[in-house]
Amino acid sequence: MSKTKNIHEQKILILDFGSQYTQNIARKVRECEVYCEIHPCTIDFKTIEAFQPKGIILSGGPASVMEDDSPLVDPKLFKMKVPVLGICYGMQLITRLLKGKVNPAKEREFGRAELMLKTFSRLFKDVHSKSVVWMSHGDRIANLPKGFQTTAFTDNSPVAAMENSIDKIYGLQFHPEVVHTDEGIKIIRNFLFNICKCQPLWKVESFADYAIKGIKDQVKNGKVLCGLSGGVDSSVVAVLLHKAIGDRLICIFIDNGLLRTGERIKVEETFREHFHMNLKVVDASQRFLKKLKGVTDPEQKRMIIGNTFIHVFEEEAKKAGDFKFLAQGTLYPDVIESVSFKGPSAVIKSHHNVGGLPENMELELVEPLRELFKDEVRALGREMGMPEEIISRQPFPGPGLAIRIIDEVTPERITMVQEADKIILEEIKGAGLYKKIWQSFGVLLPVKTVGVMGDARTYENVVALRAVTSTDGMTADWVPLPYELLGKISNRIINEVKGVNRVVYDISSKPPGTIEWE
């Protein structure tokens, strides 16, 4: 089998009913090296047929199937002779559509529960007879649909799992896709391989060749413009494009003066010298600083930086020549948020010009990563030989250090934040914690405090240290860094960063706080 062949041939369709865990389902299926896509539950039956899935998964959701306006699917789906797995709401929907009965549970079941297997099921092959699962439901199955049997139960759910093994329709009252379900990945693998008969064809090395071929087919002999930020996504996009079209790719890196120490040099060394790309570096730092003069409102900062970036990019794009294509690092979560079913509002955000570029640029988008999750992008970058320093780097905000200065942005304050940031990252890396932390950084606060340095009174600035763990940035917990490490970071910042005499540690989680301070 050639590397580019068949990676989408065997695929799973996930119909989204608004569950907070829907992306987890897709990630788990992808981890099993099976391709899948999430689509809103509102898509029509012809679209489902045209997708030609090897199996269908119905997600959970916040609604109750007993409500008059609860989301449904076309019952013809169950006549396709394709295995179906319903999770939580998906299981209750199967019951309703196939003439079973769902009732409100006497006690709502949320959190961990002990699952007990009742009878043999291919879905539970190699799963222990008793295991911990994660529940999140207020309704339960009262009467099974015809042809179904109960395969597992909990103390509060007499029907925690059901199946019609002849028609290959399965239901789970719990969530196998979350980490709190101890053997959830076994259940998902059983559905994919024992029931749907999928093969593990979805591999990063296969995707690289597939994406390169897709770029060539789309671009043909055209030229592509790529806004390079130095982050993971835009960097992987640039390398893929360069492998596909070589010097017909022009990358533009805009130095806005709000970057980490040495960022511009690293980008030039990596992409110009290591990958031999056609890279144009634009120093617009003074332009950004001038626009930000006197501004303290965080939203105004973001607007100014975003608009200035667009204007600079447009100007440089015109100078670079005649282009028809613009490359963007759109990822699959961006696409999902545009189309997934999320209750009455239907759409979280419109997916267009993810990088913030104006629609009237009249450039055709090239988005080679739009089928990938973040971890898959990192794996792809490693497969293509990209430096680990880029692939494993922590997220960095689009507005840069401007939103880590809780006051007017000035050259002096930028220098303080850059130097503090450098120390924090050096010490976090030195402690072996960098890859375990989602983000770690310093924030310059708009207050001054009294201190004593060298027997002299000081009245200087405060830096807040922030370190959080997260999987997607939507929620985050503060990291209990070792006291010794905190002390070392604090000591270095106070001694090495001119103008700072105090360091504090932020122990807020998200929610209620946010990761960045602005």
Side-chain angles (χ1 to χ4, degrees):
M1 182 182 71
S2 69
K3 285 186 176 181
T4 57
K5 186 180 178 182
N6 293 331
I7 66 171
H8 295 90
E9 183 182 272
Q10 300 192 19
K11 52 194 176 183
I12 298 295
L13 173 63
I14 301 169
L15 294 181
D16 179 28
F17 292 87
S19 171
Q20 60 182 316
Y21 302 131
T22 302
Q23 283 196 35
N24 293 46
I25 301 172
R27 291 175 67 86
K28 293 298 182 184
V29 172
R30 296 276 186 95
E31 285 173 16
C32 296
E33 299 184 332
V34 175
Y35 182 71
C36 65
E37 288 184 16
I38 297 173
H39 287 268
C41 61
T42 50
I43 62 172
D44 59 40
F45 181 67
K46 287 184 179 179
T47 304
I48 294 173
E49 280 188 310
F51 189 82
Q52 296 184 316
K54 289 282 288 184
I56 297 172
I57 298 177
L58 310 179
S59 84
S64 167
V65 295
M66 294 181 290
E67 297 170 357
D68 293 336
D69 59 350
S70 61
L72 305 173
V73 292
D74 193 318
K76 292 197 290 287
L77 177 148
F78 302 111
K79 301 294 184 182
M80 291 176 62
K81 300 189 183 301
V82 170
V84 177
L85 173 63
I87 297 174
C88 199
Y89 180 89
M91 171 180 174
Q92 295 158 11
L93 181 61
I94 290 171
T95 303
R96 173 181 166 177
L97 294 177
L98 297 182
K99 310 304 181 185
K101 187 176 181 181
V102 180
N103 283 340
K106 292 181 180 178
E107 294 181 11
R108 294 160 68 95
E109 194 171 20
F110 292 99
R112 289 178 174 84
E114 186 177 51
L115 182 78
M116 290 162 275
L117 302 186
K118 185 175 182 179
T119 186
F120 170 78
S121 169
R122 283 191 292 170
L123 193 62
F124 293 114
K125 183 177 183 294
D126 297 327
V127 174
H128 289 89
S129 59
K130 292 184 179 180
S131 63
V132 173
V133 297
W134 185 259
M135 291 286 192
S136 180
H137 67 99
D139 298 336
R140 69 181 187 182
I141 310 304
N143 294 323
L144 293 171
K146 185 178 180 181
F148 281 75
Q149 64 172 338
T150 300
T151 54
F153 61 94
T154 68
D155 286 341
N156 195 46
S157 293
V159 185
M162 67 179 194
E163 69 178 51
N164 180 331
S165 58
I166 303 300
D167 293 334
K168 297 182 180 179
I169 302 173
Y170 300 81
L172 300 174
Q173 187 60 79
F174 58 91
H175 290 271
E177 70 273 23
V178 301
V179 295
H180 311 294
T181 295
D182 287 349
E183 298 185 89
I185 192 64
K186 286 185 183 178
I187 296 169
I188 290 171
R189 289 183 63 84
N190 284 335
F191 180 70
L192 298 176
F193 301 121
N194 293 341
I195 295 168
C196 298
K197 305 299 182 184
C198 291
Q199 295 179 31
L201 302 176
W202 177 253
K203 303 179 189 296
V204 167
E205 60 268 26
S206 301
F207 184 83
D209 290 341
Y210 160 81
I212 289 168
K213 181 180 183 300
I215 292 167
K216 289 179 177 178
D217 290 345
Q218 180 184 3
V219 174
K220 297 183 172 61
N221 295 321
K223 293 193 296 183
V224 180
L225 198 64
C226 178
L228 185 62
S229 69
V232 177
D233 305 333
S234 70
S235 298
V236 172
V237 165
V239 173
L240 263 178
L241 281 159
H242 191 247
K243 286 179 177 291
I245 63 173
D247 289 341
R248 287 184 286 123
L249 168 69
I250 307 293
C251 292
I252 296 179
F253 176 80
I254 298 172
D255 183 353
N256 60 11
L258 303 167
L259 306 172
R260 290 168 172 157
T261 301
E263 184 79 8
R264 175 174 165 178
I265 295 171
K266 288 178 185 176
V267 168
E268 289 186 277
E269 288 177 348
T270 301
F271 295 94
R272 185 176 284 157
E273 297 176 21
H274 180 75
F275 286 109
H276 309 291
M277 290 187 189
N278 191 344
L279 172 66
K280 183 172 184 179
V281 176
V282 181
D283 186 350
S285 54
Q286 292 305 312
R287 184 168 172 178
F288 278 85
L289 281 173
K290 186 177 180 181
K291 294 279 189 181
L292 290 167
K293 186 174 178 62
V295 178
T296 59
D297 180 75
E299 286 307 307
Q300 195 177 352
K301 285 182 189 177
R302 288 177 179 272
M303 290 294 293
I304 288 170
I305 294 167
N307 290 334
T308 305
F309 179 87
I310 289 170
H311 293 150
V312 174
F313 191 89
E314 283 185 306
E315 291 167 11
E316 296 302 324
K318 289 176 183 176
K319 294 177 188 177
D322 183 25
F323 285 86
K324 183 181 177 183
F325 300 95
L326 173 68
Q328 290 197 145
T330 306
L331 302 190
Y332 195 45
D334 300 319
V335 179
I336 293 169
E337 286 192 343
S338 300
V339 299
S340 288
F341 177 86
K342 295 293 178 187
S345 62
V347 174
I348 293 179
K349 66 176 182 181
S350 296
H351 168 68
H352 67 281
N353 298 326
V354 174
L357 297 171
E359 295 179 55
N360 60 9
M361 286 190 73
E362 298 181 354
L363 293 174
E364 183 179 330
L365 290 179
V366 179
E367 300 173 303
L369 306 182
R370 62 182 287 114
E371 295 178 350
L372 301 186
F373 287 102
K374 190 78 169 188
D375 55 333
E376 293 173 320
V377 173
R378 295 186 195 276
L380 177 59
R382 292 188 182 97
E383 176 67 24
M384 295 190 297
M386 294 180 64
E388 190 65 29
E389 185 178 4
I390 289 178
I391 296 305
S392 299
R393 73 183 319 181
Q394 295 176 359
F396 187 69
L401 299 177
I403 60 170
R404 293 179 181 172
I405 298 170
I406 316 301
D407 205 333
E408 179 186 358
V409 177
T410 66
E412 295 76 21
R413 288 171 179 153
I414 292 173
T415 298
M416 278 190 272
V417 176
Q418 285 177 330
E419 291 178 354
D421 179 81
K422 183 181 178 183
I423 291 168
I424 291 165
L425 294 182
E426 283 177 355
E427 294 300 333
I428 293 288
K429 289 176 181 177
L433 297 174
Y434 184 79
K435 292 183 181 179
K436 299 176 182 178
I437 294 174
W438 176 263
Q439 274 179 276
S440 48
F441 55 90
V443 180
L444 185 65
L445 304 187
V447 295
K448 289 188 175 184
T449 66
V450 173
V452 179
M453 299 177 74
D455 295 327
R457 178 186 183 276
T458 63
Y459 188 59
E460 295 182 329
N461 297 279
V462 180
V463 167
L465 171 61
R466 180 80 158 136
V468 298
T469 56
S470 180
T471 56
D472 53 14
M474 300 302 293
T475 60
D477 290 321
W478 64 278
V479 180
L481 293 176
Y483 291 147
E484 184 179 351
L485 177 59
L486 287 171
K488 194 172 182 181
I489 291 172
S490 175
N491 187 61
R492 281 195 62 190
I493 290 175
I494 291 170
N495 281 282
E496 298 176 33
V497 181
K498 186 178 179 181
V500 176
N501 71 352
R502 192 178 299 271
V503 174
V504 296
Y505 191 41
D506 180 355
I507 58 170
S508 308
S509 295
K510 178 185 179 181
T514 54
I515 295 177
E516 299 288 347
W517 279 45
E518 288 191 343

